[in-house]
Amino acid sequence: MIRDERIPADELQRIDEEIRSNWPTGADVDFEEAIEYHESLPEHKRFADVLESADKPLLQPRAGVPRLDDQIELLEYLHKEGQADLLPTTIDSYTRDNEYEKAQQGLEKARETGDDTLNGFPAVNHGVDGCRKLIDAIDAPIEVRHGTPDARLLAAITFAGGFQSFEGGPISYNIPYTKRHGLEETIERWQFVDRLAGAYTERGIRINREPFGPLTGTLVPPSIAIAIMLVEGKLAATQGVRSLTLGYGQVGNVVQDVAALNALKKLGNEYLPDEVVVTTVFHEWMGGFPPDEARANGVISLGGMTAAIAQPDKVITKSPQEFQGVPTKEANASGLRTTRQVIDMAIEQKIDIDGIEEEQDLIERETRCLMDTIFEHGDGDVVQGTLKAFDSGALDVPFAPSDSAKGAVLPARDDDGRVRIFEWADLAMDDDIKEIHKARLSQRATTEGRDQSFRMVADDVDAISDGKLIGRPQGDV
Amino acid sequence: MIRDERIPADELQRIDEEIRSNWPTGADVDFEEAIEYHESLPEHKRFADVLESADKPLLQPRAGVPRLDDQIELLEYLHKEGQADLLPTTIDSYTRDNEYEKAQQGLEKARETGDDTLNGFPAVNHGVDGCRKLIDAIDAPIEVRHGTPDARLLAAITFAGGFQSFEGGPISYNIPYTKRHGLEETIERWQFVDRLAGAYTERGIRINREPFGPLTGTLVPPSIAIAIMLVEGKLAATQGVRSLTLGYGQVGNVVQDVAALNALKKLGNEYLPDEVVVTTVFHEWMGGFPPDEARANGVISLGGMTAAIAQPDKVITKSPQEFQGVPTKEANASGLRTTRQVIDMAIEQKIDIDGIEEEQDLIERETRCLMDTIFEHGDGDVVQGTLKAFDSGALDVPFAPSDSAKGAVLPARDDDGRVRIFEWADLAMDDDIKEIHKARLSQRATTEGRDQSFRMVADDVDAISDGKLIGRPQGDV
Amino acid sequence: MVLHTMSQTVVLGVIGSDAHVVGITILEQAFSAAGFDVVNLGVQTSQEEFAEAAVAHDAQAVLVSSLYGHAEQDCQGFHSVLEEAGVDAVSYIGGNLAVGQDDFEQTRKTFRELGFDRVFDSETDPEEAIAALREDLEITPTESERATISS
Amino acid sequence: MVLHTMSQTVVLGVIGSDAHVVGITILEQAFSAAGFDVVNLGVQTSQEEFAEAAVAHDAQAVLVSSLYGHAEQDCQGFHSVLEEAGVDAVSYIGGNLAVGQDDFEQTRKTFRELGFDRVFDSETDPEEAIAALREDLEITPTESERATISS
């Protein structure tokens, strides 16, 4: 029975060898030699140090193309023209599904025809040397961003390849991304990823790990996102990770977003061991974007404003072309600069908004309910608790495609635009908290002259792409 | 000696006839017939009614091209694609200088070659019929926006032509725009414009008048702008104007901007007669813009955010191409939609920021000092008081090119980015208020480790176009 | 009318490898609220899973959602699979059905030819689909009655 | 050095119909703070007004600002006007000197040929102009001494 326990050294080595035999490039990984390579990197390429020592929110876009030269050119552009502080390398979908053969075909086709037949950088296929060429070429820290349920080989190769930050986690890269990967399976596989990061950490190379906070990206109530960040943070810490960046995706209500980021930071420091350095990352709106670059810039700017007030350690930016999918590099850089301008204009201002403490208190209480139920379900073990709490529905994520979560909880905005829970299903939450949500949603129903119903949920899902925060009935209120 | 007194009916008629003889199209103005035309306009084209009955901030761009057909096409585009609620017609520079002959040549050249040789719509040359074709064609209210020190003929023709809103005023269209027009002269000429608006108003056609709030557009301390709005409002009210929209240009500090708009509304209602309906207009940042559309969108969005919180009756939007001058219609519409998105996402949120009341109180006290000095200088007469207060420097506008203002006052931002007064010169202000400004600027000087000096002023002038709010010394603090 | 629809069963799912769950969650809620019995198969549902569920629940309608642009490919042969399994139900499809959705009428034609009774774009309100289904099921009263018995 | 510049007079203004006042306000403050006596003629200043003021104040430097893109036109014949009035001063110009400022070296050449001793773009810090003026005035010590006497 899988538990929240550190993978023993011999087991780590056994899995490592097994996993590296899955694809030829795995053979090139040499841990001792990799440590030396990391030690040779200059200070400004050490991800954890750069992030943790920053005195204002650092900006990072998303970006990945199949060919190495193109990826270098893309990241150089985003660094120079977008003034990104931290850079990404987004991995292609085949690699996320561990289909390295298909990724190889796509990469070769891209090399032959110049077309991008993959939607990201196949780091496993590029291998250790390919990754290091990228790390050497770019004058800033780079993170691996993906969405891979089983990221063991990807981690082994990219860590040895010089990347010092790795997004994802067993819940956050399972529940929102895939239907059938069992949660127990992904937890076990991510224990390896975290243990590997821990092994580097013990040798002085602090690999930064970043659980994916936005989850399904659609009206996720803050406490659910935070609870999952704490669980993934704890699992990673157990395996020896010492630099953790907990994530949160903007819901669009400034007070709730600032309160959530404050709560995330506070609870992260409280629930994670003292030896872990906890930082936070704020994702600009992950839901549907307006099909209009001008309006999209408004959405992006509201994210920048929120970041200026909450001051997370990092902001993942969106581009004005979000609606149409992968942005051009110019649009990607444009989203970075719009965000930078808003943050730099607003960050020196004292903007203390009433009600943030109260909202933060509510979010903390909700999160504690969820953490308590996890501990109870697992009789003190976080892994078992998480599995059983998801199984019973005591822990749940709205709009989760995975069979591992019930996906029965439904959110809706209240009259102020804050995300509340409309359908609790079996979520473990104190009754007095449920009453608060109910009262807030009832207030909205009164304003709109309609009953609380799933219709609000549906309207809210589309609201921001339709130009508003709250999905009011047609014809206005 | 010119005083704040209503122009008698016979004098109004005498000037009207004289002024209309300055250019052939003046002969076509027939007051009674014009009243009938206005009465025939549908409700949704009545500027004052539409503005005063709105339940959220209405958006209005700037736009003017020489030819009638082009102007119709431009305004239709901004109405449909930009979703502008109110439309503008910006007048060309020759007309602003009363050079109707040159405007005629420019218009004819534009008609022949298709090139825009004028930087706006020469409404005097288009005459009453041309104006009405524009009013008839556009399904929204339209305002005349210009910058004309002597706008008497322009007013006579555009009022008869069906426009129901007219920007400008004797101080706000003199001090920031021209060096040598005497203030006494412009006051006298604007008394005629206001009296003409008053004559329409008495017949049930409420011409909306909008003093130009941003003045020199560069770090204008709120109380100076508000005092001038109150003076121009009072002068207009004396002449019978009953719909007044007082303006204010964003300085970029959210607390100060919200406080200033609150103070503007409150003092407007206090200082102006009860029979005047006072509304407010917020101008998005009028200073230098970043030479980059992405960053410009950030500046525009900060304006939208401020408008969502302060909820002025109207917002004049900027375009992302502000840096390069007159924007394309697409960029103009884009600025409108970015602003709309931010306002609509934020306006339903309760965002009460600490310190707004305190800042508003300071702005009100400062404004009262200036109003008191004006009344004292004029022995109760606002016209004489304004002339004498500008003459003595007790009233002043920073960066004023006009010889009618000393332009000796200099602003600088404090450590929070609020605009304070660094050089008072002879501005009439209570000593305790001066001490507050001094203390705030001293705090900034300490933060930056440098003395208070004009260098801060220079740095602040360029700050927003350089990507920041406050002009900190190079190398950061 | 409400009486009839109270006991009608619809099978719902996202076809192919598509993992977009929000739309069908909304649809599930809407059809349930409208009185239908809803069997939600979730995302990444195969043609065979649709057929099996329709048979097992004796469904009157099969509602297919697709948002990632590969619907045409994913639906090739779908109606033969349904027929072979003995499914006798109306079938609808909705979502972002083509990558470059310039001409929706062309897209509609394509999916009608594949065998779907109705084709909706991604802007369709759930209410519209519900109204359509009520109409389609009521014009075949025998099926409606059978539904009343079978559920 | 400070002693010398303490008593030097500069005439400052925006030439032509240009009404951009912010730049010269900043320059006035900067030159005053650097110890110069500044005569600020303000915006919309004619060639003749520059010449008259330079004579009246026995100026060592004439600083011309232009931001609206018509500087070349406004400065045609300016140095003849100065010469005829008997002005013996260094002359600088700065600002947005051409509408399409693609190649500033070309713009600098144009204005050097018109007679200006130095040409600055709009990004120039006041300090740079002050440093340049100190250098230019010190390499002509007789003028510096005359300035000390005349001011």
Side-chain angles (χ1 to χ4, degrees):
Chain A
M1 190 177 71
I2 178 177
R3 302 186 64 88
D4 180 26
E5 288 164 359
R6 185 175 291 206
I7 301 176
D10 56 343
E11 179 72 1
L12 174 70
Q13 197 163 351
R14 190 191 60 74
I15 305 171
D16 183 55
E17 279 167 18
E18 179 194 317
I19 218 68
R20 288 197 290 109
S21 69
N22 285 352
W23 189 254
T25 54
D28 299 335
V29 175
D30 177 331
F31 182 73
E32 290 300 328
E33 186 270 347
I35 295 287
E36 275 175 39
Y37 176 73
H38 279 280
E39 284 171 345
S40 77
L41 292 176
E43 272 182 36
H44 66 275
K45 292 191 186 185
R46 298 185 183 175
F47 203 105
D49 293 345
V50 170
L51 177 61
E52 292 161 6
S53 65
D55 57 4
K56 65 177 181 180
L58 301 184
L59 302 192
Q60 182 178 334
R62 289 181 179 80
V65 287
R67 296 189 304 174
L68 177 62
D69 288 354
D70 292 343
Q71 179 70 1
I72 290 172
E73 194 187 312
L74 175 57
L75 296 191
E76 274 178 347
Y77 183 89
L78 294 171
H79 192 209
K80 291 198 181 106
E81 300 302 320
Q83 295 165 283
D85 303 293
L86 302 169
L87 290 163
T89 287
T90 302
I91 305 301
D92 70 289
S93 295
Y94 287 128
T95 303
R96 298 182 194 194
D97 289 339
N98 310 110
E99 305 249 35
Y100 309 118
E101 181 59 48
K102 285 188 183 170
Q104 188 67 32
Q105 287 164 13
L107 176 59
E108 278 161 18
K109 200 166 167 195
R111 282 172 176 159
E112 282 159 25
T113 66
D115 292 345
D116 284 353
T117 46
L118 299 177
N119 61 0
F121 182 83
V124 168
N125 302 75
H126 283 292
V128 173
D129 280 355
C131 289
R132 288 190 187 172
K133 280 185 188 137
L134 180 60
I135 298 288
D136 290 340
I138 303 300
D139 226 19
I142 315 179
E143 177 179 42
V144 182
R145 304 185 71 83
H146 45 123
T148 313
D150 177 2
R152 292 174 298 175
L153 181 57
L154 180 65
I157 287 176
T158 55
F159 291 177
F163 287 91
Q164 296 193 352
S165 181
F166 198 79
E167 198 192 35
I171 306 168
S172 63
Y173 266 12
N174 173 339
I175 301 289
Y177 279 97
T178 175
K179 185 176 183 177
R180 289 194 185 86
H181 276 275
L183 194 52
E184 182 164 0
E185 170 198 319
T186 51
I187 290 178
E188 193 168 7
R189 283 162 182 184
W190 277 89
Q191 282 182 326
F192 172 82
V193 171
D194 285 329
R195 185 69 206 96
L196 200 56
Y200 278 92
T201 301
E202 282 146 30
R203 294 291 295 275
I205 310 302
R206 293 195 311 135
I207 304 278
N208 172 261
R209 284 274 298 106
E210 181 187 328
F212 176 64
L215 300 177
T216 54
T218 307
L219 305 177
V220 179
S223 56
I224 290 178
I226 294 173
I228 289 168
M229 290 301 99
L230 298 179
V231 167
E232 294 198 346
K234 286 182 78 69
L235 300 185
T238 299
Q239 304 301 331
V241 171
R242 294 295 172 259
S243 175
L244 267 161
T245 305
L246 305 184
Y248 171 76
Q250 180 185 13
V251 303
N253 176 286
V254 177
V255 167
Q256 190 172 36
D257 282 330
V258 174
L261 281 162
N262 291 350
L264 179 65
K265 182 100 189 176
K266 183 179 160 193
L267 296 176
N269 279 310
E270 182 183 321
Y271 277 85
L272 299 186
D274 289 346
E275 56 270 31
V276 172
V277 179
V278 176
T279 46
T280 57
V281 54
F282 178 62
H283 293 252
E284 289 180 344
W285 176 246
M286 294 287 287
F289 259 70
D292 166 9
E293 296 196 16
R295 286 183 171 273
N297 281 320
V299 177
I300 288 168
S301 294
L302 186 64
M305 190 71 192
T306 306
I309 298 170
Q311 304 201 17
D313 300 286
K314 182 167 89 172
V315 179
I316 305 283
T317 59
K318 283 282 184 180
S319 98
Q321 294 178 347
E322 181 60 27
F323 174 77
Q324 64 186 62
V326 178
T328 61
K329 66 180 192 298
E330 291 81 8
N332 210 339
S334 159
L336 281 160
R337 294 201 305 276
T338 298
T339 304
R340 186 86 271 163
Q341 181 79 23
V342 174
I343 292 181
D344 283 356
M345 285 177 70
I347 200 164
E348 292 192 279
Q349 303 182 29
K350 188 171 153 66
I351 301 181
D352 294 330
I353 308 177
D354 289 354
I356 288 177
E357 289 81 5
E358 194 186 335
E359 186 66 33
Q360 184 182 341
D361 183 59
L362 180 64
I363 293 169
E364 288 178 14
R365 284 169 58 208
E366 292 173 27
T367 309
R368 286 181 205 283
C369 283
L370 297 173
M371 293 308 289
D372 288 350
T373 203
I374 291 167
F375 290 128
E376 282 159 22
H377 273 78
D379 213 4
D381 182 80
V382 180
V383 167
Q384 285 300 314
T386 300
L387 291 172
K388 289 174 181 161
F390 266 118
D391 201 47
S392 74
L395 183 59
D396 196 7
V397 176
F399 305 115
S402 172
D403 285 344
S404 301
K406 294 213 167 179
V409 162
L410 284 178
R413 292 191 187 275
D414 69 15
D415 215 31
D416 194 58
R418 302 183 198 182
V419 173
R420 304 299 179 194
I421 295 175
F422 159 68
E423 171 56 59
W424 293 92
D426 298 314
L427 199 76
M429 196 60 69
D430 289 350
D431 284 341
D432 62 327
I433 291 174
K434 289 187 181 176
E435 286 304 315
I436 293 171
H437 285 238
K438 203 172 159 185
R440 298 294 175 88
L441 290 173
S442 163
Q443 189 187 342
R444 170 175 171 187
T446 306
T447 299
E448 296 179 358
R450 61 171 170 175
D451 292 337
Q452 291 181 44
S453 81
F454 80 92
R455 190 67 234 185
M456 286 180 180
V457 185
D459 291 342
D460 286 349
V461 166
D462 293 333
I464 284 184
S465 60
D466 289 348
K468 314 262 176 176
L469 182 68
I470 307 171
R472 303 288 194 193
Q474 298 297 329
D476 273 338
V477 182
Chain B
M1 191 176 69
I2 178 177
R3 303 186 65 88
D4 180 24
E5 287 163 359
R6 186 175 290 206
I7 301 176
D10 56 343
E11 179 72 0
L12 174 69
Q13 197 164 353
R14 191 190 61 72
I15 304 170
D16 183 54
E17 277 165 19
E18 180 193 317
I19 219 66
R20 289 196 290 108
S21 69
N22 285 352
W23 189 255
T25 55
D28 299 334
V29 175
D30 177 331
F31 182 73
E32 291 300 330
E33 186 270 348
I35 295 288
E36 276 174 38
Y37 177 74
H38 278 279
E39 285 170 345
S40 77
L41 292 176
E43 273 183 34
H44 65 275
K45 292 191 185 185
R46 296 186 184 175
F47 203 105
D49 293 345
V50 169
L51 177 61
E52 291 161 6
S53 65
D55 57 5
K56 64 178 181 181
L58 300 183
L59 303 193
Q60 182 177 335
R62 291 182 178 79
V65 288
R67 296 189 304 175
L68 177 61
D69 288 353
D70 292 343
Q71 179 70 2
I72 290 173
E73 194 186 313
L74 176 58
L75 295 191
E76 275 178 346
Y77 183 88
L78 294 172
H79 192 210
K80 290 195 182 108
E81 300 302 320
Q83 296 164 283
D85 303 293
L86 302 169
L87 291 164
T89 287
T90 303
I91 306 301
D92 68 288
S93 295
Y94 287 129
T95 303
R96 299 182 193 194
D97 289 340
N98 309 110
E99 304 249 36
Y100 309 117
E101 183 58 47
K102 286 186 182 172
Q104 189 65 32
Q105 289 165 10
L107 176 59
E108 278 161 18
K109 199 165 169 194
R111 283 171 175 159
E112 282 159 26
T113 65
D115 292 345
D116 285 353
T117 47
L118 299 177
N119 60 0
F121 183 82
V124 167
N125 302 76
H126 283 292
V128 173
D129 282 354
C131 290
R132 288 189 187 174
K133 280 184 188 139
L134 181 60
I135 298 288
D136 290 340
I138 303 299
D139 226 19
I142 315 180
E143 176 178 42
V144 182
R145 305 185 70 83
H146 45 123
T148 315
D150 178 1
R152 293 174 297 176
L153 182 58
L154 180 66
I157 285 176
T158 55
F159 292 176
F163 287 92
Q164 295 193 352
S165 181
F166 198 80
E167 197 191 39
I171 305 167
S172 62
Y173 266 11
N174 174 337
I175 303 287
Y177 280 95
T178 175
K179 183 175 183 177
R180 290 196 185 86
H181 276 274
L183 194 52
E184 182 164 1
E185 170 198 320
T186 52
I187 289 178
E188 192 168 8
R189 284 162 182 184
W190 278 88
Q191 282 182 326
F192 172 84
V193 171
D194 285 329
R195 184 70 205 95
L196 200 56
Y200 278 91
T201 301
E202 282 145 29
R203 293 293 294 275
I205 309 302
R206 293 194 311 136
I207 304 277
N208 171 262
R209 283 274 298 108
E210 181 188 328
F212 177 65
L215 301 175
T216 53
T218 307
L219 304 177
V220 179
S223 57
I224 290 178
I226 294 172
I228 287 168
M229 290 299 99
L230 298 178
V231 166
E232 294 197 348
K234 286 182 78 70
L235 300 185
T238 299
Q239 304 301 329
V241 171
R242 294 295 173 258
S243 175
L244 268 161
T245 304
L246 306 184
Y248 171 76
Q250 180 185 14
V251 303
N253 176 285
V254 177
V255 167
Q256 190 172 37
D257 282 330
V258 174
L261 281 163
N262 291 350
L264 179 65
K265 182 100 189 175
K266 182 179 162 192
L267 296 176
N269 279 309
E270 181 183 322
Y271 276 85
L272 299 185
D274 290 344
E275 57 271 29
V276 172
V277 179
V278 177
T279 45
T280 56
V281 54
F282 177 62
H283 294 252
E284 288 180 344
W285 177 247
M286 295 286 287
F289 259 69
D292 166 9
E293 297 196 15
R295 286 183 171 274
N297 282 319
V299 177
I300 288 169
S301 294
L302 186 64
M305 190 71 192
T306 306
I309 299 170
Q311 303 200 18
D313 300 285
K314 183 167 88 170
V315 179
I316 305 283
T317 59
K318 282 283 184 179
S319 98
Q321 293 179 347
E322 181 61 26
F323 174 76
Q324 64 186 60
V326 178
T328 60
K329 67 180 191 298
E330 290 82 8
N332 211 338
S334 159
L336 281 160
R337 293 201 306 275
T338 298
T339 304
R340 184 86 272 163
Q341 180 79 22
V342 174
I343 291 180
D344 283 355
M345 286 178 69
I347 199 165
E348 293 192 278
Q349 302 182 30
K350 187 170 155 66
I351 302 180
D352 295 329
I353 308 176
D354 289 354
I356 288 177
E357 290 80 5
E358 193 186 334
E359 186 67 33
Q360 183 182 341
D361 183 60
L362 180 64
I363 293 170
E364 287 178 14
R365 284 169 59 207
E366 291 173 28
T367 309
R368 288 181 204 284
C369 283
L370 297 173
M371 293 307 289
D372 288 351
T373 204
I374 291 168
F375 290 128
E376 282 160 21
H377 274 76
D379 213 4
D381 182 80
V382 180
V383 167
Q384 284 301 314
T386 301
L387 291 172
K388 288 174 181 161
F390 266 118
D391 202 48
S392 74
L395 183 60
D396 196 8
V397 175
F399 306 116
S402 171
D403 285 345
S404 299
K406 293 213 167 180
V409 163
L410 283 178
R413 292 192 188 273
D414 69 16
D415 215 29
D416 193 58
R418 302 185 198 181
V419 173
R420 305 298 179 196
I421 295 175
F422 160 69
E423 171 57 58
W424 292 91
D426 298 313
L427 199 76
M429 197 59 69
D430 290 350
D431 285 340
D432 61 328
I433 292 173
K434 289 187 183 177
E435 285 305 315
I436 293 170
H437 286 238
K438 202 172 161 186
R440 299 293 175 89
L441 291 173
S442 162
Q443 190 187 344
R444 168 175 173 187
T446 305
T447 300
E448 297 179 357
R450 61 172 172 176
D451 291 338
Q452 291 181 43
S453 81
F454 80 94
R455 190 65 232 185
M456 286 181 181
V457 186
D459 292 342
D460 286 348
V461 166
D462 293 333
I464 283 183
S465 59
D466 290 348
K468 314 262 178 177
L469 181 69
I470 307 171
R472 304 288 193 192
Q474 298 296 330
D476 275 335
V477 182
Chain C
M1 195 171 96
V2 171
L3 279 175
H4 278 159
T5 57
M6 279 300 287
S7 47
Q8 312 236 354
T9 300
V10 301
V11 163
L12 182 68
V14 182
I15 202 160
S17 339
D18 190 347
H20 286 93
V21 75
V22 177
I24 55 159
T25 307
I26 301 293
L27 281 176
E28 177 184 357
Q29 297 288 328
F31 278 87
S32 297
F36 292 90
D37 287 333
V38 182
V39 178
N40 184 355
L41 303 176
V43 301
Q44 295 169 346
T45 300
S46 67
Q47 297 186 355
E48 290 70 24
E49 286 168 317
F50 273 104
E52 282 163 27
V55 169
H57 298 278
D58 197 9
Q60 278 69 47
V62 174
L63 309 186
V64 177
S65 167
S66 177
L67 284 152
Y68 72 154
H70 305 308
E72 190 177 341
Q73 192 181 321
D74 291 337
C75 294
Q76 292 295 340
F78 182 41
H79 284 79
S80 309
V81 170
L82 292 180
E83 207 174 310
E84 278 163 32
V87 177
D88 176 24
V90 297
S91 64
Y92 292 178
I93 188 164
N96 293 319
L97 301 180
V99 174
Q101 220 173 58
D102 290 332
D103 178 7
F104 190 72
E105 280 317 307
Q106 184 54 48
T107 303
R108 170 170 283 135
K109 192 157 164 283
T110 303
F111 285 89
R112 286 298 304 270
E113 282 165 8
L114 280 172
F116 288 97
D117 296 301
R118 292 187 188 256
V119 184
F120 300 102
D121 67 17
S122 60
E123 302 296 307
T124 311
D125 262 347
E127 278 68 18
E128 206 177 308
I130 289 167
L133 187 58
R134 283 183 172 153
E135 191 184 312
D136 288 351
L137 296 184
E138 279 174 9
I139 55 166
T140 55
T142 51
E143 285 192 21
S144 274
E145 284 168 36
R146 203 182 63 194
T148 312
I149 298 157
S150 69
S151 67
Chain D
M1 195 171 98
V2 171
L3 278 174
H4 278 159
T5 57
M6 278 300 287
S7 46
Q8 311 238 354
T9 299
V10 301
V11 163
L12 182 67
V14 182
I15 202 161
S17 337
D18 190 348
H20 287 91
V21 75
V22 176
I24 54 160
T25 307
I26 300 291
L27 281 176
E28 177 185 357
Q29 297 287 328
F31 276 88
S32 297
F36 291 90
D37 287 333
V38 181
V39 178
N40 183 355
L41 303 175
V43 301
Q44 295 169 343
T45 300
S46 67
Q47 297 187 354
E48 291 69 23
E49 287 168 315
F50 274 104
E52 282 164 26
V55 170
H57 298 278
D58 197 10
Q60 278 70 48
V62 173
L63 309 185
V64 177
S65 168
S66 177
L67 283 152
Y68 73 154
H70 305 306
E72 190 176 344
Q73 192 181 319
D74 291 337
C75 293
Q76 292 295 341
F78 181 41
H79 285 80
S80 307
V81 170
L82 291 179
E83 206 174 314
E84 277 163 31
V87 176
D88 176 22
V90 298
S91 63
Y92 292 178
I93 188 165
N96 294 319
L97 300 180
V99 174
Q101 222 173 57
D102 291 330
D103 179 7
F104 190 73
E105 280 317 307
Q106 184 54 49
T107 303
R108 169 171 284 135
K109 192 160 164 283
T110 303
F111 285 90
R112 287 297 305 269
E113 281 166 7
L114 280 172
F116 288 97
D117 295 300
R118 291 186 188 255
V119 184
F120 300 101
D121 67 17
S122 59
E123 301 297 306
T124 311
D125 262 346
E127 278 68 18
E128 205 177 310
I130 289 167
L133 188 57
R134 281 183 173 152
E135 190 184 314
D136 288 352
L137 295 183
E138 278 173 14
I139 56 167
T140 55
T142 50
E143 284 193 20
S144 274
E145 283 169 38
R146 203 180 64 195
T148 311
I149 298 157
S150 67
S151 66

